[in-house]
Amino acid sequence: MYDVVLLTLGSERDAPGGGCGSGDACCGGTSDPTGKPPAEPGAERCETPRVPVLACADALTARGARVETVIARSDAEVDEVLARLDAPARPDGLAWPDPDSKVRLVVATANDAQLRAVVRRLVRRYAPPPSRRPAELAGNRTVPDLPPIGVLPLDPARGGPHRDLAAQLGLPRDPAAVAAAVLDGGVRRLDLLRNDGGSVTLDGALLGAADDAGRPLHWRGRVEVDDAVLTDGADPILACAIGNAGGYATLDSLPLLTTGDPTDGLVEVAVAVPVPTRATLGRKKKIRYEVRRARGRAVAVIPRDERVPFLDDGVGGELSRKRSWWTEPGAWAVFTG
């Protein structure tokens, strides 16, 4: 029978750059996809496991699994959990995941940023340095097959245009169903986006911002997808969406990504630019939007403006220099029902 670790990210995470959100977002105190802290920081400290975690632990225990609940408040504490997934020591000294491990990991997530934080630590643990790349690593990958993860959503499924990654993938949300998936379900391998800033993307990134009235603010930059140039930096950009799945498919009512598929080995990119139309007699010139799309193995964004705000799996930041994302086909995995 399996040893199952139920991992929750605590409220005092010290990951550089806010890897799991901001404020108390790691604690599950917000369902805002931007990762903004709740209205009363500290109101929920995650000092004890959440009810869905306890229910999932009971369901796993009832099936004979040995269960441990862990609340990790730092990257070091997350890494201690992930070390249990290691294979026996290798002659080359590399840390490597054990494909036959009897330890299974369930991550309790209040938002996609928390799941991203754990996968980011998996990549940091198991990605070999280029100088020590082993022969068995696939030519189109920089990481081995990462261990599958059970995803336990802490919040109910959201309505509206933004669905979390668990909903997009059709993963179970009920704690008992999650337990069954971890013990009896299949494994679905998914693409991963890595970037040269040292992080990862599971769902997608949206570059750009809006004013207080919700109107997109223009910015300029060069966007390349493989050999295709979506904009050379001369056009004002309303938004740039970089998608692995489909959560960043629209900006308000403007369709951006149309074919997001986290299993096709490709990244989908869309750039929305304003296009003026010819004025007719007695009428003012109108502005319409043009969306340019491309799919490929990698995308590079070179901002012309000093700082371009973005959201990456719900984690906010600012882009001030070139950033590249590339696809790692089938690098990470989830347990399915």
Side-chain angles (χ1 to χ4, degrees):
M1 184 47 67
Y2 295 107
D3 294 316
V4 181
V5 181
L6 268 164
L7 175 64
T8 303
L9 300 189
S11 60
E12 298 177 359
R13 294 261 301 149
D14 62 359
C20 65
S22 59
D24 282 337
C26 292
C27 193
T30 177
S31 59
D32 190 325
T34 67
K36 294 180 180 179
E40 298 180 7
E44 184 181 9
R45 303 286 296 177
C46 281
E47 298 300 330
T48 57
R50 295 272 295 272
V51 171
V53 175
L54 297 175
C56 188
D58 288 343
L60 289 163
T61 301
R63 293 285 308 278
R66 294 178 292 269
V67 181
E68 180 182 357
T69 59
V70 176
I71 300 174
R73 297 178 180 82
S74 69
D75 281 346
E77 292 178 349
V78 173
D79 292 345
E80 288 179 6
V81 171
L82 302 184
R84 307 183 197 188
L85 305 172
D86 286 0
R90 292 167 53 103
D92 57 14
L94 292 175
W96 211 253
D98 184 358
D100 300 317
S101 175
K102 295 299 182 183
V103 177
R104 297 207 159 177
L105 175 65
V106 178
V107 180
T109 63
N111 50 52
D112 291 340
Q114 295 187 343
L115 183 59
R116 169 189 187 258
V118 175
V119 176
R120 180 170 173 259
R121 298 311 301 176
L122 279 171
V123 169
R124 292 202 170 199
R125 182 169 193 82
Y126 294 125
S131 61
R132 300 174 61 194
R133 181 184 176 91
E136 66 265 35
L137 190 60
N140 62 350
R141 293 260 294 274
T142 64
V143 294
D145 284 353
L146 300 177
I149 295 172
V151 180
L152 174 63
L154 293 176
D155 296 331
R158 301 187 194 97
H162 185 88
R163 299 186 301 157
D164 63 17
L165 192 58
Q168 293 179 55
L169 298 175
L171 300 180
R173 305 187 77 89
D174 177 76
V178 172
V182 170
L183 297 180
D184 302 324
V187 171
R188 184 182 181 190
R189 301 218 66 86
L190 302 164
D191 302 335
L192 177 70
L193 295 183
R194 294 194 66 186
N195 67 59
D196 55 7
S199 193
V200 301
T201 303
L202 308 182
D203 185 1
L206 183 64
L207 286 75
D211 61 18
D212 293 339
R215 294 182 295 263
L217 299 174
H218 297 177
W219 58 279
R220 281 179 166 82
R222 182 180 179 90
V223 181
E224 305 171 349
V225 183
D226 293 349
D227 296 328
V229 178
L230 294 183
T231 176
D232 62 4
D235 302 302
I237 300 172
L238 296 173
C240 174
I242 298 170
N244 187 38
Y248 289 75
T250 62
L251 177 66
D252 293 330
S253 59
L254 179 66
L256 295 176
L257 307 178
T258 59
T259 59
D261 181 352
T263 63
D264 63 2
L266 299 173
V267 57
E268 184 184 13
V269 183
V271 171
V273 299
V275 178
T277 59
R278 183 176 300 176
T280 58
L281 185 62
R283 296 185 178 181
K284 293 183 179 180
K285 184 182 295 186
K286 293 184 177 180
I287 300 294
R288 66 179 178 87
Y289 300 133
E290 175 182 278
V291 180
R292 305 167 186 171
R293 301 181 180 92
R295 302 169 76 235
R297 288 290 313 279
V299 55
V301 178
I302 308 171
R304 299 284 190 247
D305 294 355
E306 184 176 353
R307 294 186 182 277
V308 178
F310 68 85
L311 283 177
D312 193 336
D313 281 345
V315 178
E318 289 184 331
L319 195 64
S320 59
R321 57 185 178 181
K322 180 180 178 181
R323 175 66 50 84
S324 297
W325 288 258
W326 66 89
T327 305
E328 300 271 341
W332 75 293
V334 292
F335 292 110
T336 60

